[in-house]
């Protein structure tokens, strides 16, 4: 079950991030020493007592009803994804979180079959922790050409996108907008951590990254929550130079915690860039 402190931290972070001028509380003549709303103001906007809201924000209570939580979400102007995360954090033993077995994930047979049918575009299968469970030749060549082609098949060396992004200099150098890429990954990990609070492997990975990388620790402390199912990545690839890649994520019906990420290279009408990826050593070799 989620730690009550997670709910408290999230509420405090969202209250501090909401400028009073964006709410009906603006213009009431309150002298403010710090940005964001006061607890009394959030309670008033949500229609709950100050004492009750204070207990929630201090981690002394987690028995809020869905009605109260949705009222707080409206008061704090949370997005749909943030509201989902708030409800995840407030789960009680009567409404258990999604169960998650700790340990290596196995790729969905359906996802592997679909991946085998995608040859003309880079594609990878991602687990809930953003481990790469499988990739096609182009996906390998695009995302991590310096790693072994069979790495996803071995849990002990399986690529982890968060670890690559923060701890692997070669992978980090691929992204021209690394700061945005990093922020998006951390926001997604926070969303997933609320859905799988009993996943010890996920918890250990987050703790490891907080200790080993200051940027990750700062992003995690910000409390941002996000889900990204489509977008654009600007990359500097060692074999193609500067490229722009559109991507889209597809959840799997039989394993909703696994997603296929499919990429499309822009400005490649004749397939020159795609062929350049296929001509890299990574596309032909099982070694680094």
């Amino acid at each position: 079950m989620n730690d009550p402190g997670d709910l408290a931290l999230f509420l405090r972070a969202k209250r501090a991030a909401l400028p009073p001028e964006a709410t009906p509380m603006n213009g009431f003549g309150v002298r403010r020493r710090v940005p964001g709303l006061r607890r009394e103001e959030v309670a008033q906007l949500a229609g709950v007592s100050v004492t009750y809201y204070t207990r929630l924000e201090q981690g002394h209570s987690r028995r809020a009803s869905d009605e109260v939580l949705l009222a707080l979400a409206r008061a704090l102007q949370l997005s749909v994804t943030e509201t989902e995360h708030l409800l995840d954090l407030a789960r009680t033993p009567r409404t258990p979180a999604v169960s998650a077995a700790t340990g290596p994930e196995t790729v969905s047979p359906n996802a592997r079959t679909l991946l085998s049918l995608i040859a003309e575009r880079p594609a990878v299968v991602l687990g809930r922790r953003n481990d790469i469970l499988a990739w096609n030749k182009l996906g390998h060549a695009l995302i991590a050409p310096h790693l072994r082609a069979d790495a996803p098949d071995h849990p002990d060396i399986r690529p982890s996108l968060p670890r690559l992004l923060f701890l692997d200099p070669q992978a980090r150098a691929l992204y021209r907008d690394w700061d945005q890429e990093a922020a998006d990954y951390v926001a997604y990990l926070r969303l997933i951590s609320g859905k799988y609070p009993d996943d010890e492997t996920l918890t250990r990975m987050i703790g490891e990254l907080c200790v080993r990388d200051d940027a990750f620790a700062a992003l995690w402390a910000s409390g941002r929550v996000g889900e990204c199912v489509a977008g654009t990545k600007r990359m500097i690839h060692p074999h193609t130079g500067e490229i722009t890649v559109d991507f889209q994520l597809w959840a799997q019906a039989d394993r909703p915690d696994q997603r296929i990420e499919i990429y499309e290279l822009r400005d490649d009408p004749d397939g020159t860039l795609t062929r350049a990826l296929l001509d890299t050593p990574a596309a032909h070799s099982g070694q680094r």
Side-chain angles (χ1 to χ4, degrees), residues 168-183:
D168 187 320
Q170 293 183 73
R172 181 169 178 156
L174 287 173
Y175 299 97
R176 294 157 64 189
D177 303 313
W178 184 87
D179 289 345
Q180 185 61 52
E181 189 79 9

Side-chain angles (χ1 to χ4, degrees), residues 191-241:
L191 175 68
I192 293 302
S193 71
K195 293 186 179 301
Y196 300 98
D198 299 323
D199 189 332
E200 296 177 3
T201 303
L202 176 62
T203 300
R204 284 197 300 271
M205 181 185 71
I206 292 170
E208 173 197 350
L209 290 172
C210 281
V211 170
R212 296 182 62 185
D213 190 89
D214 291 342
F216 183 94
L219 288 168
W220 186 257
S222 73
R224 181 182 168 222
V225 179
E227 168 70 295
C228 187
V229 297
T232 299
K233 301 177 188 291
R234 300 194 316 141
M235 306 178 74
I236 306 176
H237 197 276
H239 302 290
T240 63

Side-chain angles (χ1 to χ4, degrees), residues 7-15 53 56-57 72 76 86:
L7 174 63
L9 288 171
F10 184 66
L11 289 172
R12 290 201 295 270
K14 301 314 295 184
R15 174 171 64 85
Y53 177 74
L56 283 175
E57 204 177 89
L72 288 172
L76 293 169
L86 177 67

Side-chain angles (χ1 to χ4, degrees), residues 13-270:
K14 301 314 295 184
R15 174 171 64 85
L18 182 59
E21 56 268 23
T23 76
M25 295 293 105
N26 187 39
F28 277 74
V30 177
R31 295 186 62 185
R32 302 181 185 275
R33 289 177 292 181
V34 294
L37 295 179
R38 301 165 65 188
R39 286 175 179 162
E40 304 94 292
E41 293 170 328
V42 174
Q44 181 179 341
L45 289 169
V48 299
S49 73
V50 176
T51 300
Y52 179 63
Y53 177 74
T54 299
R55 287 182 59 81
L56 283 175
E57 204 177 89
Q58 291 179 341
H60 298 317
S61 176
R62 63 177 304 132
R63 296 186 177 276
S65 67
D66 286 352
E67 290 77 11
V68 167
L69 292 168
L70 292 173
L72 288 172
R74 288 191 294 271
L76 293 169
Q77 300 181 18
L78 302 187
S79 67
V80 173
T81 300
E82 290 169 336
T83 300
E84 181 182 347
H85 185 61
L86 177 67
L87 294 171
D88 286 338
L89 293 179
R91 285 192 176 105
T92 69
R94 293 174 298 170
T95 55
V98 178
S99 61
T102 294
E105 294 181 78
T106 57
V107 64
S108 159
N110 286 346
R112 190 178 289 280
T113 298
L114 181 58
L115 187 66
S116 69
L117 300 176
I118 304 171
E120 74 282 2
R121 295 181 182 178
V124 301
V125 179
L126 300 175
R128 64 174 169 272
R129 308 171 190 126
N130 268 10
D131 292 336
I132 298 176
L133 306 182
W135 50 24
N136 63 11
K137 287 184 178 180
L138 279 170
H140 172 217
L142 177 68
I143 296 300
H146 61 298
L147 300 183
R148 286 170 43 173
D150 64 345
D153 299 327
H154 304 283
D156 56 328
I157 60 170
R158 176 174 289 162
S160 158
L161 284 184
R163 287 191 175 96
L164 287 173
L165 191 62
F166 287 93
L167 304 179
D168 187 320
Q170 293 183 73
R172 181 169 178 156
L174 287 173
Y175 299 97
R176 294 157 64 189
D177 303 313
W178 184 87
D179 289 345
Q180 185 61 52
E181 189 79 9
D184 289 344
Y185 267 108
V186 176
Y188 175 74
L189 284 179
R190 183 169 286 281
L191 175 68
I192 293 302
S193 71
K195 293 186 179 301
Y196 300 98
D198 299 323
D199 189 332
E200 296 177 3
T201 303
L202 176 62
T203 300
R204 284 197 300 271
M205 181 185 71
I206 292 170
E208 173 197 350
L209 290 172
C210 281
V211 170
R212 296 182 62 185
D213 190 89
D214 291 342
F216 183 94
L219 288 168
W220 186 257
S222 73
R224 181 182 168 222
V225 179
E227 168 70 295
C228 187
V229 297
T232 299
K233 301 177 188 291
R234 300 194 316 141
M235 306 178 74
I236 306 176
H237 197 276
H239 302 290
T240 63
E242 292 190 1
I243 54 175
T244 299
V245 181
D246 296 318
F247 71 92
Q248 189 161 2
L249 285 151
W250 299 87
Q252 302 308 291
D254 60 331
R255 300 272 186 88
D257 54 349
Q258 292 185 13
R259 306 180 296 172
I260 294 183
E261 187 167 25
I262 302 174
Y263 307 86
E264 182 174 6
L265 278 66
R266 283 192 192 174
D267 303 320
D268 189 29
D270 59 357

